[in-house]
Amino acid sequence: MKVAIVNLPGINCERDTKYAFDKLGCDTKIVWHTETSLDADLVVLPGGFSYGDYLRTAAIAKFSPVMSAVANHAKRGGLTLGICNGFQMLLELGLLPGAMVRNQNMNFIAKFVGLKVISNDNKFLSNLKVGEVVNIPVAHGEGNYFADPDTLASLYDNDQVLLKYCDENGNEINLNGAVDNIAGICNREKNVFGLMPHPERACESLLGSEDGLKMLKGLVC
């Protein structure tokens, strides 16, 4: 599988993301944000602080030249994954519904957390079971996912809520103020995925968890 990892000024997870997909045997390439076309089966928007997250997270990134190619890829049905800042980019582009605001406690949160699989009827989480708990790190200051009641109802109606924050026993927790403890969603067509936690940082047992590889494997198998 060809994987294009988009790099923008301020992004800092592009090499971690490449390492993860290299481990899965993919043909990976880091693509600079000035590119206007993408030759890939999977496009990944990695984490970091694109353009310093000025104005608000990903507000400037959405105007980068490469984003037209990202949007076209997604709208053609191409697999698209946004991790942390990448998730925020997908929201700003309108490829996923909802918005991201500051963590409720106004603090930057960086630690391993439990994620409960809510739906695996999609390629991203097809390698996991519903109700399964994986251990994945987060690192964000604006990971408080918001959706109005109608949007939230639509997400559930269309099986778009994929991951929720939880403890090691699967009990939901409110990590950052996110509505319904949501950590990850997809679009209706189930080819665009966004999550705040960093699966690419959970690819070695030495670093605390290999659950991230188990997640990402669903996209490439």
Side-chain angles (χ1 to χ4, degrees), residues 180-206:
D180 274 16
N181 311 313
I182 291 173
I185 63 172
C186 68
N187 63 344
R188 289 192 181 194
E189 295 75 19
K190 299 186 179 180
N191 68 297
V192 179
F193 309 96
L195 75 163
M196 285 308 298
H198 287 267
E200 81 283 2
R201 296 184 184 179
C203 294
E204 297 283 356
S205 57
L206 181 66

Side-chain angles (χ1 to χ4, degrees), residues 25 29 52 78-79 106 137 151 162 168 174 181 183 188 194 213-214:
K29 181 180 180 181
L79 290 172
M106 301 301 288
T151 299
L162 303 186
E168 60 184 9
N174 192 265
N181 311 313
R188 289 192 181 194
L213 275 185
K214 193 174 182 181

